[in-house]
Amino acid sequence: MTSADQEAPPLQSPVAPAGEGEGESSLTVLLALGANLGVGVLKLAAGLITGSAALLSEAAHSAGDCTTEIFLLTGQKRSQRPADRTHPFGYGKERYFYSMLAAVAIFVSGAAFSFYQGISTIIDGEESKMVWINYPVLLFAAVLEGTSLRQAAKQMQGETRRLRQTVLQYLKTPRDPTVESVLLEDSAAIIGLLFAAIGVALHQLTGSAVYDGAASIAIGLLLLTVSGTLTRACKNLLVGVQADPRFVREIEAWLEEQPEVDDVVDLLTMLTGTDSVLLCARVDFIDATTGSELEEACVRLDTELRQKWSTLDEIFIQPAPRLDVGMRERVQERYGRALAEE
């Protein structure tokens, strides 16, 4: 553990506490949905009137973003269902599934259409008309997308401050794909508008539709990058990732301070949702502990762990000898170090 980690306040949670942040996440998605609906209609109208491939690609971009936001809202709602007989660990990962669908929607409805429209325009060389209509539409779209981006950035800033991470670190290991999806969408939207404006202007200045088509292809590449980034993040979350390593180390240190515990042999964590963590702890209890004392210790540890870290959803505590060679080797392979002392 670094000196910075030692001086920092306890990391209370690797993810947002249950219920906290849900309202802000919903607001972020709804604001993005409203912005994309409004600008999507304007882009489509401008693209049809002027014949601009870049504007039509931007309309497809907005349509893809709207689909994405609908998937994100659906995932938020369905992931909050409580655990039941068929899903004893709850439905938290549904948010990751619908975020994956959102990433696919960006590719299908946005990137694929942009590539088609761009290549078609370059080959056919269609002329644009009434080009001036495109500029106020692009400007108005930038204002709306910027408002949505500001809200997403504000929420991202709050998340990174609470988790003591940089934005880059958070984007590499997202805990809530909803925030990342909207942030990347809106960032791509602003860049896409810039591409569209350049393509339209160059087409107007030179009379060549190649620039308009090239802008459309550039927008497609941009959306393909966003789709790939979100897909990769959602895949990791669906497969199963551990909680923040700092959070795991804090649990390890706390367990080793308990009077009944001789050493922590192994710790397994997995995010089962944006606000829930599964914890499996293999612990070497002191040799003098009787069977009844062991049961009482496990119950106490379970209770106090939940009180200290509210996002711990399911906790399994297993007595295990710290000198077991096979177990030590598995832990060494997984973490690069043996948790238990020799």
Side-chain angles (χ1 to χ4, degrees):
M1 186 180 296
T2 65
S3 58
D5 285 338
Q6 291 174 338
E7 295 172 359
L11 189 68
Q12 294 299 322
S13 168
V15 288
E20 185 177 307
E22 282 298 325
E24 188 175 11
S25 291
S26 297
L27 175 62
T28 300
V29 177
L30 287 171
L31 188 59
L33 177 59
N36 283 310
L37 279 173
V39 300
V41 172
L42 291 175
K43 290 175 185 175
L44 179 61
L48 291 175
I49 293 172
T50 64
S52 170
L55 264 293
L56 290 174
S57 295
E58 273 297 299
H61 182 176
S62 294
D65 286 350
C66 288
T67 306
T68 296
E69 270 104 45
I70 291 172
F71 277 133
L72 293 176
L73 289 171
T74 302
Q76 277 187 332
K77 181 68 174 178
R78 294 182 63 85
S79 66
Q80 295 172 21
R81 291 181 293 168
D84 55 31
R85 182 181 301 176
T86 57
H87 294 82
F89 294 105
Y91 291 83
K93 287 195 174 186
E94 283 219 37
R95 183 175 296 198
Y96 307 150
F97 171 71
Y98 280 97
S99 296
M100 175 76 81
L101 293 183
V104 173
I106 292 175
F107 170 75
V108 173
S109 60
F113 179 82
S114 296
F115 286 132
Y116 166 78
Q117 190 67 34
I119 294 171
S120 175
T121 299
I122 292 174
I123 294 174
D124 296 338
E126 296 179 359
E127 287 294 327
S128 294
K129 51 190 177 181
M130 300 179 67
V131 179
W132 64 268
I133 294 177
N134 293 324
Y135 298 113
V137 169
L138 290 172
L139 180 60
F140 184 65
V143 172
L144 289 183
E145 296 286 6
T147 302
S148 177
L149 176 61
R150 182 179 179 183
Q151 170 61 28
K154 176 184 174 184
Q155 186 174 0
M156 174 72 74
Q157 185 180 30
E159 288 290 296
T160 54
R161 186 185 300 114
R162 181 177 57 80
L163 294 173
R164 305 201 304 272
Q165 291 180 328
T166 65
V167 172
L168 184 59
Q169 289 173 329
Y170 183 89
L171 290 176
K172 285 182 177 179
T173 56
R175 293 320 191 235
D176 184 355
T178 303
V179 181
E180 183 187 30
S181 297
V182 176
L183 186 72
L184 289 179
E185 276 177 20
D186 291 339
S187 299
I190 297 295
I191 298 172
L193 291 171
L194 179 61
F195 287 164
I198 293 173
V200 168
L202 289 176
H203 186 182
Q204 184 180 16
L205 290 172
T206 64
S208 173
V210 170
Y211 296 105
D212 201 6
S216 182
I217 292 174
I219 292 169
L221 290 171
L222 179 65
L223 293 176
L224 185 62
T225 302
V226 171
S227 176
T229 302
L230 292 177
T231 299
R232 183 169 59 252
C234 293
K235 182 203 74 171
N236 292 333
L237 290 167
L238 281 170
V239 171
V241 294
Q242 74 162 354
D244 190 308
R246 298 167 298 168
F247 174 73
V248 177
R249 290 196 297 269
E250 286 188 7
I251 291 179
E252 177 189 359
W254 183 85
L255 284 171
E256 289 180 344
E257 292 173 354
Q258 305 312 302
E260 305 93 340
V261 176
D262 194 2
D263 208 344
V264 173
V265 180
D266 194 8
L267 276 179
L268 298 168
T269 60
M270 183 174 68
L271 297 182
T272 55
T274 58
D275 57 4
S276 59
V277 176
L278 171 69
L279 169 67
C280 300
R282 295 189 175 108
V283 177
D284 187 0
F285 290 91
I286 60 176
D287 294 336
T289 306
T290 64
S292 60
E293 289 173 342
L294 183 61
E295 291 175 349
E296 292 175 0
C298 288
V299 171
R300 183 185 69 81
L301 293 176
D302 182 290
T303 301
E304 294 189 9
L305 281 168
R306 293 176 189 277
Q307 291 174 348
K308 189 171 180 62
W309 291 283
S310 62
T311 51
L312 290 176
D313 184 31
E314 293 294 340
I315 300 174
F316 300 91
I317 302 175
Q318 175 187 350
R322 64 178 178 175
L323 299 180
D324 183 277
V325 177
M327 189 174 297
R328 290 177 64 88
E329 288 178 351
R330 290 198 300 274
V331 174
Q332 181 76 38
E333 290 176 1
R334 189 186 312 124
Y335 295 119
R337 68 184 180 95
L339 302 188
E341 301 283 346
E342 287 285 0

